[in-house]
Amino acid sequence: VLFRSSPPEFSAHLIALAKFAGSVWSPAIADAIIEVAESHTYSVTAIAHALYELTIQNAPTEFDLYKAITTAVARESSLFTAIYASLNPTARDLIAALSAEPTKHPMANSYITNHRLSSHATVRKSLIALTEGDHIIKNPDETIVLTDPLFKLWLNTKWNSRQLISTLSLISN
């Protein structure tokens, strides 16, 4: 499980690091990084690093932030493809469902139907596999979410589909 830090503390830290490196980041940019990365240290670092590379000593814009998020996700694409390929088809379906719609009740009939999951038994087995693989956790409010926000973003983007199909076809051959 990735470490989470307090957003205000993390935001101040990012702003201070940018200033130390000769850049000026607004609190809004720092807060947006932390929000997108869900306060996960690795994800915040990956996005912040990509943003700094894009803007160096210029003040970043929202568009720069979007490009940095895309860059951070793309840099992890090989890892995410390997993780996804290592899952059985029912676990792939469930992790895709959880990335799109975190839930407290993944075995509810409506959730299974809405996300075209196969059955209660396969959802139960997939939950165990995804938990043991450290891909999902329960938040304090009992909502099941992905542990890696960049992986969630990767799963929720359409641009990964072509790459996944070609990679999975190579693996299965």
Side-chain angles (χ1 to χ4, degrees), residues 2 42-43 46 71-87 92 95 133-135 147-152 154-155 159-160 163-164 167-168 171:
L2 299 172
Y42 181 83
S43 299
T71 299
V73 171
R75 286 179 177 165
E76 300 296 328
S77 188
S78 295
L79 171 64
F80 297 153
T81 300
I83 291 169
Y84 190 83
S86 73
L87 301 174
R92 288 179 195 159
I95 202 164
D134 198 29
H135 302 302
T147 56
D148 186 337
L150 293 180
F151 188 33
K152 179 178 81 174
W154 182 82
L155 284 166
W159 58 265
N160 71 36
Q163 179 184 358
L164 277 176
T167 303
L168 292 175
I171 292 169

Side-chain angles (χ1 to χ4, degrees), residues 139-166:
N139 274 345
D141 72 353
E142 299 292 310
T143 302
I144 300 171
V145 297
L146 274 67
T147 56
D148 186 337
L150 293 180
F151 188 33
K152 179 178 81 174
L153 288 170
W154 182 82
L155 284 166
N156 287 335
T157 58
K158 300 297 181 204
W159 58 265
N160 71 36
S161 300
R162 261 187 261 132
Q163 179 184 358
L164 277 176
I165 291 166
S166 64

